[in-house]
Amino acid sequence: MDFWRNKEIVLVVGGGIAACRTLDLIRRLKELGAGVSVVGTEAATRFVTPLTFQAISGRPFHGDLFDPTLEGGMDHIRLAREAHLVIIAPATADLLAKMAHGLAGDLATAMLLARTGPVLAAPAMNHAMWSHPATQSNVTVLTGRGIQFCGPEAGSLACGEEGVGRLATVETIMEVARRCLEPQPLTGRHFLLTAGPTREELDPVRYLSNHSSGRMGFAIAQAALRAGARVTLVHGPVAIPSPYGAKTIPVTSAREMHAAVMAVWDRDTANDTLDAVVLTAAVADFRPARREAEKIKKSLDSAGHIELQANPDILLELSQRQPTLKNRNIPLVIGFAAETGMALERAREKMSRKPCHMLVINDVSEEGSGFGVATNRVTLLHHTHEVETWPLMTKEEVGKRLVASITSSLSHPFHPVH
Ligand code: CTP
């Protein structure tokens, strides 16, 4: 919430039907405390009137490069200088072409040429216009100059056709905009995370599982992405949206999760491109020894007895694999420990059984902690035996603080945990 407070945004609106959707973007930015000044092209005002932009933004609309009422006629320079971020939405093919060639014939393009700070472009256009070599080469030129892009997305377009050309959603534009402004200490780093529950099938209609929602792991993934990391997220069945930009690998069972994690570990430790592994998943320790092909009937003698078999333990296996990484970058391995009472004592025992660089402990029986709730109270147990207790925070805040702690650990040399 506080992130957007007092941030100054200049929104450049191009002339396309998606101009209507920028009204929601303005509303959302304002709700979160940002100030929004709208600069529109002449074509944009054919879709949305200056009065509408003015009413929604609560500020005068800027459309005229030669407005005689403006002192000194330097509106384009002032707007370019004062904004924390310039967002172009929709970035039309015409605007992108003008930017790529440094044209400055109207207020929007003159302001963009005078801009030295961060710029985010959210294109929207017909799919053939987007994929045209002229547009694609303009995008390449602009990317090379440091312009960030967000979308366009695939779907049905205003012209009635299907394809890539839709304006990204307001949530996506807001997320990418935030990443344009956040410090990026994890640029070039790669995080591997597990999250959510696993499901162990008993028969075609039943499974064994747990209450994990995936929220804690997804919050850590989001925080790592915001700090500039590349994120691979292996997750079990969850009902929450994936963080924008994560490479997700959805799995169902513990064995699938194990196989997915080991494949990434083997590939990326071999080429030294794995920096941290955070295992938040509530992996089922056991699975039914047999998965029945037919639904189990209550009349069967076997009903009431389920024979179980142990699942592979991902954390244990990674801690055993670390010493085998001779002369290679050793990823930081962080486990989670969900306990119900005597949490620290049990976590110490867990760490000696499955050595890792850090265990994040939460007592899921405590109020405000654990499964399904938005908050968490965690204690960190470092492999150096140091203990850190954090206050009750939202899972988003825990994720951010944990990523900050991992970032600082990554900047110091560390070793296999045994
Ligand atoms: N974990 C794992 N693979 C498993 C079980 C657990 O990778 N098969 C990981 C979890 O993702 C977590 C950590 O191990 O990071 C601790 O999980 P937890 O279930 O609390 O510990 P267990 O070792 O299963 O011990 P217990 O159930 O006895 O508490």
Side-chain angles (χ1 to χ4, degrees):
M1 175 85 186
D2 279 349
F3 178 82
W4 289 105
R5 191 166 304 285
N6 300 325
K7 292 280 188 304
E8 274 302 317
I9 307 298
V10 167
L11 176 66
V12 176
V13 185
I17 187 67
C20 311
R21 290 176 52 204
T22 59
L23 298 175
D24 282 338
L25 179 62
I26 301 168
R27 244 185 234 119
R28 188 79 191 115
L29 284 163
K30 279 191 64 198
E31 262 167 29
L32 296 178
V36 184
S37 298
V38 181
V39 176
T41 62
E42 212 277 313
T45 61
R46 304 287 182 99
F47 293 92
V48 181
T49 67
L51 195 62
T52 309
F53 284 127
Q54 203 158 301
I56 302 292
S57 70
R59 290 185 177 180
F61 171 80
H62 305 267
D64 187 359
L65 183 58
F66 306 106
D67 187 346
T69 63
L70 290 169
E71 210 181 320
M74 287 294 157
D75 211 19
H76 59 298
I77 305 294
R78 187 186 59 78
L79 287 162
R81 294 275 156 79
E82 288 178 1
H84 292 102
L85 179 66
V86 172
I87 304 177
I88 314 168
T92 57
D94 182 65
L95 258 180
L96 294 176
K98 284 176 174 156
M99 284 169 73
H101 291 88
L103 300 187
D106 63 3
L107 180 64
T109 51
M111 194 276 295
L112 286 164
L113 196 62
R115 173 75 179 165
T116 51
V119 175
L120 167 64
M125 64 195 76
N126 168 273
H127 63 92
M129 293 169 78
W130 172 249
S131 58
H132 194 284
T135 306
Q136 287 304 305
S137 96
N138 290 333
V139 170
T140 306
V141 166
L142 294 170
T143 305
R145 287 184 199 150
I147 306 284
Q148 293 289 318
F149 277 82
C150 168
E153 294 179 353
S156 58
L157 306 174
C159 53
E161 294 176 6
E162 292 276 328
V164 177
R166 281 175 67 83
L167 184 72
T169 62
V170 169
E171 293 73 40
T172 303
I173 296 174
M174 297 280 295
E175 183 55 35
V176 180
R178 180 167 177 160
R179 290 179 198 174
C180 289
L181 295 172
E182 293 263 16
Q184 306 276 289
L186 292 176
T187 302
R189 300 287 197 178
H190 178 203
F191 277 42
L192 168 62
L193 285 108
T194 66
T198 63
R199 270 183 201 169
E200 312 300 320
E201 287 200 6
L202 188 54
D203 68 18
V205 296
R206 303 182 181 96
Y207 56 79
L208 305 180
S209 191
N210 58 63
H211 289 301
S212 171
S213 63
R215 278 161 95 159
M216 192 61 250
F218 278 44
I220 298 166
Q222 175 80 290
L225 287 158
R226 283 180 177 166
R230 178 163 71 86
V231 168
T232 304
L233 178 57
V234 181
H235 67 83
V238 291
I240 52 173
S242 302
Y244 177 83
K247 178 180 176 359
T248 52
I249 306 180
V251 296
T252 304
S253 67
R255 282 185 295 175
E256 284 169 17
M257 184 171 276
H258 171 263
V261 170
M262 295 310 153
V264 176
W265 173 278
D266 288 344
R267 185 194 62 207
D268 292 349
T269 52
N271 54 26
D272 281 344
T273 55
L274 187 59
D275 298 287
V277 185
V278 187
L279 301 171
T280 71
V283 187
D285 291 323
F286 298 98
R287 64 178 181 275
R290 270 188 327 281
R291 184 220 184 253
E292 302 296 341
E294 301 276 331
K295 184 182 167 196
I296 301 168
K297 295 290 175 194
K298 56 177 172 274
S299 57
L300 283 186
D301 291 346
S302 62
H305 299 279
I306 303 168
E307 202 186 317
L308 297 175
Q309 187 174 349
N311 271 328
D313 191 314
I314 302 165
L315 179 55
L316 177 65
E317 204 169 315
L318 292 188
S319 77
Q320 288 164 346
R321 283 183 183 209
Q322 279 194 59
T324 66
L325 298 175
K326 295 213 172 60
N327 305 322
R328 298 230 170 261
N329 179 37
I330 293 159
L332 204 62
V333 177
I334 293 136
F336 268 65
E339 304 293 351
T340 52
M342 304 210 306
L344 188 57
E345 225 173 300
R346 286 180 169 149
R348 285 204 171 102
E349 180 279 321
K350 197 162 286 180
M351 190 175 255
S352 65
R353 201 161 32 87
K354 323 200 259 191
C356 55
H357 293 101
M358 193 199 292
L359 259 185
V360 182
I361 313 160
N362 63 339
D363 188 333
V364 292
S365 58
E366 256 186 49
E367 200 172 323
S369 269
F371 299 131
V373 292
T375 51
N376 221 357
R377 189 195 307 277
V378 302
T379 299
L380 267 48
L381 174 61
H382 295 268
H383 74 288
T384 51
H385 306 295
E386 189 197 336
V387 175
E388 266 181 75
T389 302
W390 290 354
L392 186 71
M393 290 185 273
T394 63
K395 286 184 176 171
E396 195 180 47
E397 285 162 348
V398 175
K400 192 168 177 191
R401 198 157 155 183
L402 193 62
V403 165
S405 166
I406 296 171
T407 305
S408 117
S409 300
L410 286 173
S411 61
H412 300 107
F414 53 88
H415 305 284
V417 279
H418 58 152

